[in-house]
């Protein structure tokens, strides 16, 4: 399973979002810090979930990182988050 699928699976399980887009943007960062051959280093997540509605921006980001877990977050160089309720 690729990192995109892992991110999607963990976020769906934790938040049951009504919108979820996970994009591997690694190729846009070729030659930059953290990039490695094969990609799976830089990601953009757009998620809309009722579970996010009452949380502050910081709480939303912390909740996503907790749902992804240290094992997965540790393999990702950059994670851009666009989160809303």
């Amino acid at each position: 399973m690729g990192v995109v699928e892992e991110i999607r699976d963990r976020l769906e399980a934790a938040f049951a979002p009504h919108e979820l887009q996970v994009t591997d943007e690694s190729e846009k960062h070729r030659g930059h810090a953290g990039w490695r051959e094969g990609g799976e280093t830089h990601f953009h997540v757009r998620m809309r979930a009722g579970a996010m509605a009452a949380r502050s921006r910081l709480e939303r980001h912390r909740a996503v990182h907790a749902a992804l877990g240290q094992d997965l977050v540790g393999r990702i160089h950059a994670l851009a988050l666009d989160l809303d309720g």
Side-chain angles (χ1 to χ4, degrees), residues 9-31:
D9 288 352
R10 292 183 190 196
L11 294 179
E12 285 175 349
F15 303 108
H18 52 88
E19 179 184 341
L20 178 59
Q21 298 170 350
V22 181
T23 307
D24 183 346
E25 296 184 335
S26 302
E27 194 54 35
K28 292 181 181 180
H29 301 277
R30 181 180 281 274

Side-chain angles (χ1 to χ4, degrees), residues 5 22 32:
E5 292 80 13
V22 181
H32 297 169

Side-chain angles (χ1 to χ4, degrees), residues 56-68:
S56 70
R57 182 173 183 237
L58 181 58
E59 290 170 332
R60 291 172 184 178
H61 283 243
R62 286 179 175 161
V64 166
H65 280 254
L68 295 179

Side-chain angles (χ1 to χ4, degrees), residues 49-56 60 84-85:
M52 294 292 171
R55 298 178 186 202
S56 70
R60 291 172 184 178
D84 208 346

